[in-house]
Amino acid sequence: MTSAETVPTWPKIDALTRPDGSGEVTINGTSHPIETNSIEDARSAILARVTETAAKMQRAVRVT
């Protein structure tokens, strides 16, 4: 596993969930809206988007 100190800060990824199941993942300033029926589903959708980004980068990514 990669330690937090060695994970690069690029790409900049921010995630937001809302109680109604909506949310947003912002990757380097580009917003990716999340629309689900529950906060749990929104979290899963966000994790899927972040995992996809990490796979494309072929390394760990940092998300806030």
Side-chain angles (χ1 to χ4, degrees), residues 11 13 25 27 48-59 61:
I13 304 175
V25 177
I27 303 170
R49 176 67 71 155
V50 171
T51 300
E52 178 184 307
T53 301
K56 286 179 183 176
M57 302 289 299
Q58 297 184 344
R59 64 168 171 79
V61 296

Side-chain angles (χ1 to χ4, degrees), residues 10-56:
W10 186 90
K12 181 170 175 28
I13 304 175
D14 295 307
L16 169 71
T17 58
R18 296 182 191 91
D20 67 356
S22 65
E24 178 179 19
V25 177
T26 305
I27 303 170
N28 288 332
T30 301
S31 174
H32 303 274
I34 302 294
E35 296 294 332
T36 66
N37 294 320
S38 70
I39 194 166
E40 292 83 9
D41 290 345
R43 288 179 182 142
S44 292
I46 287 169
L47 285 174
R49 176 67 71 155
V50 171
T51 300
E52 178 184 307
T53 301
K56 286 179 183 176

